[in-house]
Amino acid sequence: MALYVLALTDTDLGNWTTRGRSLKSANYSGIHVVHERRVALPVVSDEELRAQHALVMAIAERAPAVLPARFGALLEKRELTAAISRHRAEIVAALDQVRDHVQMTIRVLGTRPAPTRAASSDTTMTGTDYLRRARLAAIPPMTSVGERVVAAVTPIVAAERREHGTGGLLATIYHLVEVRQVQRYVHAAGPAVPGVIVSGPWPPFAFTPQLW
């Protein structure tokens, strides 16, 4: 059977059963891999994704540093050994970053701005102009309300990642926050306002490096 990886942690969690699933913790040179034994990937469904999220939440309750595997990863032992060896420094740095931290998520809703027409001088655009435009294109659009909420919590945030949304979702902002600062973060974000959704705390899904 292959190993269905759910998370990497800094702690040996042993073997235990939760929500009817048998989880095991294996030590790979100080990096602990929480996994199930499976012969095939589970069928992707809302039910399975909710179940896996609940498993990662249970793992996060047991370890101070957790790197969840998004949607899980089915690997043979030799493949897992090679991946951890190849990314060891990155994994250790990520575990250090997320230790005693959780993820808060802000979703900003709104009307997407109309794309601007390219200027006639684009044919003579300099390299600097091109890089500046590329950087601006990489920044998700935000509403003024969204910017105010993000600005209010920024002093509490240890790390931030932003992603473009689609349709009415303009942007998703992921914040890494110390566990002891969560209530302060929620207070700073303020009461719910139209067009901004604040959720968490969650395990730090957005701060897990791409390993496989």
Side-chain angles (χ1 to χ4, degrees):
M1 282 190 182
L3 280 66
Y4 183 61
V5 180
L6 294 166
L8 307 181
T9 80
D10 64 347
T11 306
D12 183 0
L13 301 181
N15 303 332
W16 82 101
T17 299
T18 180
R19 297 180 177 270
R21 306 270 284 261
S22 179
L23 306 187
K24 302 178 183 297
S25 183
N27 188 344
Y28 286 76
S29 301
I31 295 169
H32 301 275
V33 179
V34 182
H35 64 279
E36 296 177 285
R37 287 285 188 175
R38 283 181 173 267
V39 296
L41 283 168
V43 176
V44 177
S45 65
D46 289 342
E47 182 181 2
E48 176 58 31
L49 291 176
R50 284 193 296 269
Q52 183 174 313
H53 183 79
L55 292 176
V56 173
M57 293 287 286
I59 295 166
E61 290 174 358
R62 288 169 161 253
V66 173
L67 299 175
R70 282 191 175 185
F71 312 118
L74 188 68
L75 302 166
E76 296 294 338
K77 187 173 182 179
R78 56 181 174 76
E79 295 176 310
L80 180 57
T81 301
I84 290 177
S85 177
R86 188 166 59 248
H87 296 284
R88 180 174 177 76
E90 190 178 3
I91 294 169
V92 171
L95 285 169
D96 286 342
Q97 182 187 42
V98 304
R99 185 171 291 108
D100 297 320
H101 286 69
V102 292
Q103 177 181 304
M104 300 297 293
T105 303
I106 297 176
R107 291 181 172 83
V108 179
L109 311 178
T111 303
R112 194 168 299 280
T116 56
R117 297 184 62 181
S120 59
S121 60
D122 279 357
T123 56
T124 59
M125 184 187 301
T126 67
T128 300
D129 290 336
Y130 176 83
L131 291 175
R132 183 181 299 114
R133 180 169 293 185
R135 283 196 298 271
L136 290 174
I139 300 172
M142 292 279 284
T143 62
S144 58
V145 175
E147 290 285 11
R148 285 201 299 272
V149 174
V150 171
V153 301
T154 292
I156 309 164
V157 171
E160 177 186 276
R161 292 186 179 174
R162 298 190 182 197
E163 288 183 358
H164 281 270
T166 58
L169 174 62
L170 297 180
T172 303
I173 301 94
Y174 303 104
H175 285 152
L176 196 63
V177 179
E178 279 190 272
V179 172
R180 63 180 181 175
Q181 297 285 3
V182 168
Q183 289 305 314
R184 182 184 168 201
Y185 181 102
V186 172
H187 179 76
V193 293
V196 178
I197 301 171
V198 180
S199 65
W202 311 114
F205 286 93
F207 298 90
T208 298
Q210 186 64 45
L211 304 176
W212 35 68

